[in-house]
Amino acid sequence: MEIPRKISLCATFLAVPLAFSAIALPAQAQTLNIGIGGAVTSADPHFYNAAPNHALAMHVFDYLVGRDANAQPYPMLAESWRAVEPTLWEFKLRSGVKWHDGRDFTADDVAFSIARAPNVPNSPGGMGGFVRAITKVEVVDPLTIRFHTAAPHPLLPVELGAISIISRHAGEGATTEDYNSGKAAIGTGPYRLQAYRPGDRAELVRNDAYWGGKEPWEKVNFRFIGNDGARSAAVLAGDVDVIDQVPSTDLARLRRDSRITIAEIQGVRLIYLMADFSRTGEVPFVTDNAGKPLPQNPFQDLRVRRALSMAIQREALAERIMEGTAQPTGQWLPPGTFGYNPAVKPPAYDPDGAKKLLAEAGFPQGFRMTLHSPNDRYPNDAKTAQAVAQMWTRIGVQTQVEALPWTTFSVRSNRQEFGMRLSGWGSTTGEASYLLVNIIGTYDREKRTGASNSGRYSNPELDAMTARAAATIDDAQREKLLQEAVKFAMDDVAVTPLYQLVNTWAVRKGLTYEPRMDERTVAMGVRKAN
């Protein structure tokens, strides 16, 4: 399934009935058990911009602008929005919305959320990129809020779809631990947080007063099952009703099992490699062949980056490691999305050309390094890293792999402790600027760019291209500018794309799941089969 190519948000969005509110509820409420492959690192919705964290937050908190299963925006806490002027957006808020403790939701809560989101202490990867364009927030009245921007910013409504709205009265002065304990986790969402146990599960109970209509599930157990085999076994045994990240090794077997149905969709998740750009001298875990640290960072040399990319057999990764559950790519979005550049192809596998480039860069005998990877975050993440390491070793770059749990990997990666890392990024906005700003935009706390730029790649020319595109109102012209930026970034090997995931879920017979391009697993998408 493809995302519609045009994202035009300058017109007013009128309130529309939400799809889930029209679905008939089962006669008796039940408990739903979900098993997810990615670990949730916090119940604080602003702590970390990662899909598992967002998935949990979507149960407890709402957004001004929602995103449906196809990554398209729809009215949520905001009933409508419009550009009053090129640099002024006005949002009309939904009336009658209550916080879980019964207090009224107002524009003041929105203003508080926008201010807090990019400023959470000790956050390993925050939300600053989503609110970078906002220069001033103006509360007009309890149900009207305005956002001022320094330049025209047509994507603001889409970007605000990533910011969970929290309550000022519960959140003022609250720490991330207050959200983890449930003390501050007072939302407007369809479920209340009953308990959060890091590394184990979150327990949710239905919010019967939810403004969007009561959910069919009285309780939801949101379990974190990082081991692939354990996840498949859990759904087959009936211990859980739904699992995500269906292991590619089990997919064919689960398709044949009459007790299970498979839901799938082409996702917007890119699996990629990113080098360290934060240093000009010695780089952690990078040495010469004798084990001595290299005096200069080899990844600063474009020839080295291109050589490493050319040495990768992307088709083999997709077919053998991912067993057909991924598409090899040379950019970060799939065809049909806004900003996808059809002229940017996956780099051809050319080991001889890679060796030649390494020699030109001063490494005729290669060098040594460690590729760091999570081992429980993305399907076959550690296996992919091992395969890439073997491909690099064949061209003389002796590579070993250190695979870590996501909770450890994410923190260390964001501290620039790795020379080379395997990671993933889901462009949940369905357009190219999301990665341009957050992953390869120059890290700048004041400008709130590069919020998830763990390698600290920086190119002022690319930043300027991104800024021009973001300020362009005309859809066709903006897309052309984004396509040019995509080619520029890939020519410079800002990141090394490997493949895009096909998102899969295994669902117990008698239930259905609406697959999401953003790969998030939510109880609101699970219904009884007709």
Side-chain angles (χ1 to χ4, degrees):
M1 186 178 295
E2 293 183 352
I3 299 178
R5 290 180 57 79
K6 302 302 175 191
I7 301 178
S8 180
L9 294 170
C10 293
T12 299
F13 275 65
L14 299 178
V16 295
L18 299 183
F20 53 77
S21 65
I23 296 174
L25 303 181
Q28 295 182 344
Q30 297 181 14
T31 296
L32 180 70
N33 294 294
I34 296 174
I36 68 168
V40 175
T41 59
S42 177
D44 182 341
H46 299 154
F47 181 70
Y48 192 28
N49 182 23
N53 290 36
H54 280 297
L56 175 60
M58 287 171 67
H59 294 80
V60 181
F61 303 94
D62 289 320
Y63 305 83
L64 288 180
V65 181
R67 292 183 189 144
D68 66 18
N70 294 312
Q72 294 303 292
Y74 67 87
M76 203 173 199
L77 289 179
E79 286 190 322
S80 65
W81 52 89
R82 66 191 180 101
V84 179
E85 299 172 5
T87 60
L88 177 62
W89 284 89
E90 182 179 88
F91 284 67
K92 291 291 187 180
L93 306 182
R94 194 177 296 276
S95 64
V97 175
K98 300 286 186 180
W99 294 102
H100 291 161
D101 58 8
R103 296 178 65 165
D104 289 334
F105 157 72
T106 71
D108 183 60
D109 297 306
V110 177
F112 175 73
S113 302
I114 299 302
R116 179 185 188 269
N119 296 302
V120 176
N122 302 314
S123 167
M127 307 291 175
F130 300 112
V131 297
R132 71 191 186 283
I134 299 173
T135 57
K136 178 183 176 183
V137 178
E138 177 186 356
V139 175
V140 179
D141 59 48
L143 295 178
T144 307
I145 192 165
R146 288 183 166 186
F147 301 106
H148 297 256
T149 62
H153 197 76
L155 286 175
L156 183 64
V158 166
E159 292 172 346
L160 289 178
I163 301 297
S164 295
I165 303 303
I166 61 174
S167 61
R168 180 186 289 275
H169 67 272
E172 201 154 39
T175 65
T176 291
E177 183 50 44
D178 289 328
Y179 285 88
N180 292 341
S181 70
K183 177 183 176 182
I186 306 299
T188 60
Y191 291 94
R192 304 167 186 256
L193 182 66
Q194 186 173 55
Y196 167 66
R197 303 170 189 168
D200 180 24
R201 71 187 64 200
E203 297 175 358
L204 306 165
V205 295
R206 186 174 62 201
N207 173 18
D208 288 342
Y210 184 51
W211 61 267
K214 192 192 315 186
E215 281 289 305
W217 314 110
E218 185 177 41
K219 296 182 179 180
V220 175
N221 292 318
F222 208 68
R223 293 176 53 188
F224 316 139
I225 309 176
N227 181 274
D228 287 349
R231 214 160 49 252
S232 295
V235 74
L236 285 169
D239 293 336
V240 297
D241 302 303
V242 181
I243 63 169
D244 63 10
Q245 297 187 26
V246 177
S248 58
T249 52
D250 295 336
L251 187 55
R253 178 167 62 99
L254 290 171
R255 287 189 193 277
R256 294 192 300 267
D257 196 304
S258 61
R259 298 168 296 174
I260 301 295
T261 58
I262 299 295
E264 59 189 344
I265 191 172
Q266 173 62 58
V268 290
R269 168 73 60 183
L270 171 74
I271 301 300
Y272 66 94
L273 304 166
M274 190 172 208
D276 176 81
F277 294 90
S278 69
R279 301 166 174 89
T280 56
E282 296 180 8
V283 179
F285 303 101
V286 180
T287 71
D288 63 17
N289 289 320
K292 182 180 179 180
L294 294 175
Q296 293 182 320
N297 182 351
F299 308 127
Q300 295 284 3
D301 193 316
L302 177 58
R303 294 169 296 186
V304 172
R305 302 200 298 274
R306 285 182 174 169
L308 294 174
S309 182
M310 291 163 58
I312 297 171
Q313 292 176 287
R314 289 166 175 79
E315 291 284 353
L317 294 178
E319 294 175 5
R320 300 173 195 171
I321 304 300
M322 297 305 297
E323 300 184 81
T325 60
Q327 294 292 328
T329 188
Q331 56 188 297
W332 56 88
L333 284 173
T337 50
F338 194 85
Y340 170 82
N341 189 332
V344 178
K345 307 295 184 184
Y349 173 57
D350 184 3
D352 292 334
K355 291 177 183 177
K356 182 179 179 181
L357 279 176
L358 284 175
E360 291 177 4
F363 300 101
Q365 305 302 319
F367 54 90
R368 291 184 181 180
M369 70 172 169
T370 297
L371 170 59
H372 285 85
S373 169
N375 61 13
D376 59 357
R377 174 62 187 90
Y378 312 109
N380 299 322
D381 42 16
K383 290 181 181 178
T384 296
Q386 290 287 354
V388 169
Q390 292 174 18
M391 294 171 188
W392 283 346
T393 297
R394 293 189 196 117
I395 64 166
V397 180
Q398 305 295 321
T399 306
Q400 64 180 15
V401 172
E402 184 176 356
L404 304 167
W406 174 246
T407 51
T408 301
F409 173 89
S410 59
V411 173
R412 292 186 60 189
S413 178
N414 282 286
R415 290 175 180 167
Q416 292 77 55
E417 294 184 12
F418 304 145
M420 181 69 72
R421 59 183 63 71
L422 179 145
S423 195
W425 180 258
S427 293
T428 55
T429 58
E431 50 78 47
S433 71
Y434 188 30
L435 184 142
L436 283 166
V437 169
N438 290 283
I439 295 293
I440 54 180
T442 297
Y443 177 76
D444 189 319
R445 289 183 63 88
E446 184 176 338
K447 294 181 180 178
R448 295 171 177 172
T449 59
S452 300
N453 185 346
S454 56
R456 295 298 191 260
Y457 171 84
S458 177
N459 190 313
E461 187 175 351
L462 180 61
D463 291 339
M465 295 173 74
T466 303
R468 282 197 299 271
T472 300
I473 297 293
D474 181 78
D475 286 345
Q477 184 61 26
R478 183 168 72 255
E479 182 167 36
K480 180 181 178 182
L481 292 171
L482 288 173
Q483 290 172 335
E484 292 173 357
V486 167
K487 185 177 188 307
F488 183 98
M490 295 298 87
D491 285 348
D492 200 39
V493 198
V495 294
T496 302
L498 299 178
Y499 51 75
Q500 290 150 345
L501 295 177
V502 175
N503 301 332
T504 57
W505 290 261
V507 187
R508 184 173 57 82
K509 185 177 181 180
L511 299 175
T512 64
Y513 185 72
E514 182 181 23
R516 297 181 61 93
M517 295 192 78
D518 62 13
E519 79 188 37
R520 298 174 188 176
T521 304
V522 294
M524 296 78 77
V526 183
R527 293 291 183 262
K528 282 193 171 183
N530 292 329

